[in-house]
Amino acid sequence: MALQHHADRLTPSPDGAKSPSTHSRSSSMLADAIKEAQRVRRGTGEATAERRKVNTPQQPSRQNSPTREPNPPSSLPDEAPAPQLASTAADRPPVGPRAIGNPVPAEFLRPITYPAPAHTGRPVNLNACRFPRRGRQANMNKIEGTAYEHLLPFDENQNTWLSVDVRAINIPSYTTTLDLWRTFSVFGNIESIDLYETNRLCNARIRFSPPPKEPLDRQDAKGPVTVIVYATGRLPPHRPRLVQEKANFSFTVPSPVRENVTYPETITIKGSQIDFGIMLQPQFMMIREQVKPPVGQTVTIALKLGRRRVLDVQFALAFKADESEQAHTKENCSDKYRLQIPLLELTKVVRVDDYSSSISLIMTLSNPPCFYRQLQDVSPSHNVQTRRWLAWDSWYRQTDVVFDPQDLKNDPISLRKPRAIIDLGRWTTYKLTFDRGFNPESKINMFLSALADYNVQIETVTKLPSAVTRKKLSVWDYIDQSNKPLESSASALSEMANIPPLPFPVRYQLEVCISQGVLNEYNMTKDFVDRLLAMEERQATELLEFIAYKEERIFNPMEIFDMRITKGSHTKAKIPSYCTYSRKATVTPTMVYYTTPNVETSNRVVREFSHMADRFLRVQFTDERNEGSVRASNKPTTDEVFTRIKRTMTNGITIGDRHFEFLAFGNSQFREQGAFFFCPTSSQSTDSIRRWMGNFQHIKVVAKHAARFGQCFSTTRAVTGTKVSVLELEEVIHGKYTFTDGVGKMSPFIAQIVQSDLKLPTDGPPSVIQFRLGGSKGVLAIDPSLRQRQVRIRKSQYKFKAIFNGLEVIRWSHFATAKLNRQLILILSDLGVEDKIFLQKQTDMLERLQRAMHDEQEAVSMMQKNVDPNGMTPVIAGMILSGFMTANDPFILSLLHLWRSWCIKYLKEKAHILIEKSAFLLGCTDETKTLKGHFDKLQTGPLQTLDMKQAALPEIFVQISHPTRQTETVIIEGLCLVGRNPSLHPGDLRVVNAVNVPKLHHLRDVVVFPQTGDRDLPSMCSGGDLDGDEFFVVWDPDLLPKEWNHAPMDYTALAPVEAIDGVTIDAITSFFIQYIKNDSLPIIAHAHMAQADFQPAGSKSQECLMLAQLHSTAVDYVKTGRPATMPRNLAPRRWPHFMEKRGKSPDQIYISRKILGQLYDQVEKIDFIPQYSAVFDERVLSLATPDPEQVQQATEIKVLYDSALRRILAQHSIKTEFEVWSTFVMSHSNTKKDYKFHEEMGELSGGLKDRFRSLCVDAAGGKHHSKIGPFVLAMYTATRNEFEAAKAEHRDKESPDGTVTPDRPMTPDSMPLISFAWLFPEALGKLVDGNFTIRQGPLPVPVPETHSPTTLTKSAPQARTVAEAVTSSGLVQEGNLLGLFEDHSPGSETSQSPASSPTSSSPDFDSLGGGEQMNINLPVPLRPQVSNPPRLCSADVEAPASGAAGPQIVSGEVHPALAALSMLDF
């Protein structure tokens, strides 16, 4: 930046410079001016109390920090004359509504000049007067938009300030943040630049942090210096002014544990060196890289205690190229790096102090922190499209530190990084060294004291050995023969000669142990490898799996060969036919983590190539472990993170001698940022597998092409009992709306085959199934007119031509109750439902949950009505009815307390209020064309009578199963509310009329929509269709809104982006990356909720309506390839407190007084505490003495079961076994959103139970109760023996110091697992009462109230003709009720909602779109196992004879609000 001198612009003092006394005189005059201003303001009666307050320069504390406005107010007008200091009170101008500012000394108003950048362009000269910036406690005093500001000269004490702002007023509108940065960066470090408009003037605010060391109005030997802003090729319209404001003071933060102790918000010490390495032994650090900053620089270590508590370390790295690399580089590199360690991740710091001139701090992390590199040229960090620049924009995330990043371009991902200068993911022990001379002892002590107060253990030692070792042999040099050893000595080469490769299962499990931090490659020697090679493959794999499960760092790997493990391996255990063992890799920016193979529900591709199932690898991309999923970002700061993902998908992953290539991704995987990889063989490649999947050449849209791939990877269960005969079915289209989108037909025979193959409950086949059939998808509904194996498919269901044409089932129709959620409550409130209704329903639910803890009948009633998505509450209700709650069984009591805590958690976080008079059902269409549809002409204008209003409503048919009597059904009639999730638009909720149609009585536990009308109802409900979407139906009159059927939104998707030259795998992987970068669905959904709460019009406000449209565009992104971009004006400036935006400043949070805020404040969470003090049920234990041999068998199986269960706990950071068994997970790793994780937990829990049930059945000799009953008694006894032995160790022990502590705490970490005994809850129930079933109890179905008594006719069981056929379903869970399916699609590509499965999400939402999914995606409730299930034959299935006993019919009540509806429009 050139310095241009303009002596004629300034009249200097006679001696050419300020006299030494100028500063002191200026300070004295300033104090007088401030006092006078205070006196004048105190006399102004018209000003408010806040405007009369004067904030003098002081050190404020954070606790009293007021809010700040998002944009600074305008300053003095451009041409306003400079105010003069009045000599007397009479000379002072009046202060009132039109006053410009306080009087100031004239000598402070001299024009000053600034240096200019050295580049071409037309200059803009800036005159300036210097104003102080207000601190966080100082409010700008405004009268009619005019700001009063105190003027302040340069203060020598400003070096203690955090920052100083300079405001440039009335700058050219075309000025960019880069222009300003180039101009002002010469004065110091710029923290931020903001461009904003005030009164149609373009202004800028430049924040310096720390403040400039010299005043801006300086001059050198040649005279004053002028700032010139260059805007190349443009003329300046004005001569702007600069205003310098006094900035933030250094705030204090109170100690979290000690009263009257405060710390500075930032504590900074200067280091001389940082070392990276590993802890080779508990007391020995192996340093892999030492970093000493260049001359004149230091390692900066800042402890930041503000909103985001981190340890921030900055250092400069100047490194030289290796000789092998100097062939393609000319010079060495030097960059500035930083790492940020969250204090939550920092548990211990070792202080090495030998009382010399330096001190060292050593810290070891379990997970790598985020690393950043600062750009040497900050130009790319400035975006001309944005009006803000932050210094953080010049810090780019780092995935690798190598000499030349281009060397990584073609490298596959692996755990070993031979090119790394610093292995960011593996070298997670840091040694920070700093000199005492640069850091006062008091600051060091304060630094460590603050860490200790934030729960960081500080250990002081005088010596901790460490050594710099860059060329030590690691295990990679022994097991990777293709890699050149790091040491080229003859002895080393001889040592590694002729070492055979490890078998792949052993090699994979070894990398599991290394990646999880159990073993370290530098601890393992050739002897270790030889011992592994000497073992049998299965034995070695079991041993490595065992230590991986323990999750404890092993410093001497040879010790593992002395460990005693139970015979048998869970990976060899018999698993259900619909499951497979799956290996998984989690790729983060700096690491790749492998997990022990787990059982998962399979898909079409894995089943077809099951003979090479170990060559499939599930891959998920996440941020670092403590950061969660990869966040959407269009900023270049995260480009390297996305580059690593792209490199993984392009170059693959290498594990030993196997190289895994990208294959495809399922639709659910896609949203969870995951994919399938495959290791090719000589006969099978990824291309050949994709060709087998189907012909996709006609699909030119990349997004749809990828979705069609994903259709083959939906987790399904194959129907093997018969093949189907497929016929085409005509589509029903009216105008531009397809009324039958995604729905076909199936014969009753096919439905019964599905029921038999999948071992579904015996009270009738499912009416609707969500399916995959070759290249077709959607749902199939029973049609009694179809015969034998007939299936009829519509054009909208056919997607591509596939070789495989077997029928596969994702899920089936079932009854479940619905729950409110935050979005529904917001919309219902805006449509006229009173707040007291929601508050009362939540109060009732809380009171009932409390009563359920001691009232069995209340507990059973709640659980039968409040059915969770995985159907576990009916199972627990059956346990309670069998008396285990009365017997105080510890497992049942723990489940009961967990269920209450889980319900209250989601009441607090998601407002999941149970709606008893409701259902959550799959949708299908009325093939009889009986139901009346929606007609636009009937919806326009007010109707005169109530009857006419009701007559104009569209109709639906709903027949639901009785919750306690299996063979009975109930038909709903009357006014209902129907919709689907997420609902963001007021028109998404439709009031309809439920009617009884005898022709549709064959359909149960579904909602049937009409085929007539101008627009189909599903598309009006959040843009839904019938390919698997679930809808809620509510007949509770309290929840019928006053305003009916607000005009629906148009959910027509944008035109998709087509590939010109065809779709390639590179285009698909690029779309995968772009989707992650541009997935704004959660951001839009969060913004909608905040705006709906903040805006007076709520969800009907213009902001919310625009956000709802953007949300629809974002949902369609997976189909169209067109992302949704949320404009800045729709982003909330403030957030309601119930959204728990912890990263926001206090002034960005407000207390919501609307209904969601009231509901949130009404609930207090309850921690879950397992009931270990209870005792096992003596009714079971006293039945008989179990066979000792069976007890021993049960004990051995329990060891395997516990090991597999603990592995799930560790993999997902779940705290207790009760959460896995019941799927009521209170907290988990944050890589998945709650609603999706609940589905996944259903799969994991169900698969776990199925596997070990099969082992127990084999050990018992059969599944008949005469066989399994005695073995279940042995299981219960074995579990009780281990539990009581652990409780015996929980006895008080007096320590020498007099304290009393138990030998063994009764906590989940230390107590044995007890869920093994409950793998067979029905068998346990039969042991104690002989009559254990799930659906029991006298509870009636919740039905609408009626005007007059309604006769409920008990229907006789409908006649069902059972056919016979040979099936091969394999080993399937008894009475299986878990929906073990990953692609619960409406989440398929034709759905408006990103995922139809209920439950919660994330950041704070239940669906990917932030929509709160209802927590009721229930597979069919458990029924008692049929010992000899019926065999099927090819006989036709006849419909029930006319005149047969029909279902119960219930009429709905007219809502009280209908009395006034005749005056309202629809």
Side-chain angles (χ1 to χ4, degrees), residues 288-289 322 324-325 400-404 407-408 411-424 426-427 470 474 476-477 480 482-486 521-522 644 647 654:
R288 299 292 295 160
E289 186 66 33
D322 293 337
S324 61
E325 294 173 328
D400 299 275
V401 177
V402 295
F403 185 81
D404 186 359
D407 292 338
L408 301 174
D411 286 357
I413 299 299
S414 67
L415 199 54
R416 187 186 189 189
K417 296 183 178 181
R419 301 183 189 274
I421 295 172
I422 300 176
D423 191 334
L424 304 180
R426 301 286 299 135
W427 302 346
R470 293 191 176 91
S474 69
W476 308 121
D477 301 302
D480 287 340
S482 60
N483 293 307
K484 180 181 177 181
L486 297 177
E521 57 267 39
Y522 292 103
R644 178 171 168 86
R647 183 158 58 90
T654 297

Side-chain angles (χ1 to χ4, degrees), residues 1296-1335:
D1297 59 358
T1299 60
V1300 177
T1301 58
D1303 280 355
R1304 181 172 189 162
M1306 294 178 66
T1307 61
D1309 293 336
S1310 60
M1311 293 295 289
L1313 304 183
I1314 61 175
S1315 60
F1316 174 68
W1318 292 93
L1319 286 175
F1320 298 92
E1322 293 186 35
L1324 275 174
K1326 289 180 180 179
L1327 286 177
V1328 296
D1329 61 18
N1331 187 29
F1332 181 82
T1333 56
I1334 295 306
R1335 284 190 175 181

Side-chain angles (χ1 to χ4, degrees), residues 668-685:
S668 294
Q669 273 189 305
F670 181 51
R671 296 183 182 88
E672 294 295 333
Q673 303 172 2
F676 270 101
F677 282 52
F678 179 77
C679 176
T681 66
S682 58
S683 60
Q684 202 69 256
S685 66

